[in-house]
Amino acid sequence: MHLPLILAALAATATAALDALKIVQQIAPNATSCPDPVSDPNKECRTAEQAAPFIAQSMEQYGIYSPAQMAAVVALLAFESVDFRYKHNVYPGRAGQGTANMQTAQYNLLYAKQIEGVACKVAGIPAVEGQSNQTLNYILSLVQPDEHNFGSGPWFLKTQCGSHVREKLDENVDQGFEAYMQCVGVSVTEERRVYFERAKKAFGLA
């Protein structure tokens, strides 16, 4: 590749990364810093600057390119993780529940089984029913590294919600978000709506 093309590619990559950071900062305005190690012994917290590259990468990995779909996913990730501070369920503390998407253990097992290099580590676990808390938390630990932690949201939308949810998001973003939340198993509370409104603005949808 000629030098001008290399420089152009690098410039495009840098611009995309900067745009992703600005978007994530708008949606998760409190993700500017993390607590000290004493307050965050598990070191789960990530700033918007740390999270943005992994979020952008995971959208590409799972083929989520629609602004409406991306807005919905990032809003959910930011809300569920409390602006990327947690990778596990803090209250009520369900074993095996976590990632930025705060998925329950059954979905984290499904997710783990579809990740190259991770699937082999859960091959002997057919289901989460009857498993010990230790095993459930082990499964969670496999999908908590940043590249998987932030990929859980796009993965869930793409593989667990069906094309009709993605289509509805593109047709009518507000109705689509309600359908997406139904797929997740929750309702659109005012707190969730605040994140989604910020996400719509960040992606130019409002």
Side-chain angles (χ1 to χ4, degrees), residues 27 107-108 116 160 162 183 186 191:
I27 300 169
Y107 290 113
N108 282 325
E116 184 177 355
Q160 304 301 307
C183 174
V186 298
E191 291 83 2

Side-chain angles (χ1 to χ4, degrees), residues 71-141:
V73 170
V74 181
L76 182 64
L77 292 175
F79 174 82
E80 291 289 353
S81 63
V82 192
D83 287 4
F84 315 126
R85 183 165 182 176
Y86 301 107
K87 294 183 178 184
H88 76 286
N89 178 269
V90 176
Y91 182 82
R94 297 187 185 92
Q97 182 175 1
T99 74
N101 207 41
M102 216 49 66
Q103 300 177 153
T104 56
Q106 69 183 92
Y107 290 113
N108 282 325
L109 178 58
L110 286 173
Y111 184 36
K113 285 180 176 291
Q114 295 180 23
I115 300 174
E116 184 177 355
V118 176
C120 60
K121 298 178 181 180
V122 294
I125 306 175
V128 298
E129 289 76 19
Q131 301 295 337
S132 67
N133 287 351
Q134 183 179 5
T135 297
L136 298 180
N137 287 329
Y138 168 69
I139 296 167
L140 174 59
S141 73

Side-chain angles (χ1 to χ4, degrees), residues 8-30:
L10 289 174
T13 300
T15 300
L18 182 60
D19 288 344
L21 174 56
K22 289 180 178 178
I23 287 171
V24 173
Q25 286 175 327
Q26 284 182 258
I27 300 169
N30 294 319

Side-chain angles (χ1 to χ4, degrees), residues 140-196:
L140 174 59
S141 73
L142 297 175
V143 294
Q144 284 181 320
D146 288 340
E147 63 270 28
H148 308 319
N149 179 59
F150 295 106
S152 60
W155 170 82
F156 189 93
L157 175 62
K158 188 66 176 288
T159 66
Q160 304 301 307
C161 289
S163 60
H164 68 284
V165 173
R166 300 194 299 276
E167 290 169 1
K168 185 162 286 189
L169 277 163
D170 292 337
E171 293 168 1
N172 184 304
V173 68
D174 292 305
Q175 292 179 9
F177 188 65
E178 291 182 4
Y180 179 34
M181 291 302 95
Q182 287 177 2
C183 174
V184 171
V186 298
S187 58
V188 182
T189 62
E190 183 57 32
E191 291 83 2
R192 291 179 184 278
R193 194 179 300 280
V194 167
Y195 275 85
F196 188 51

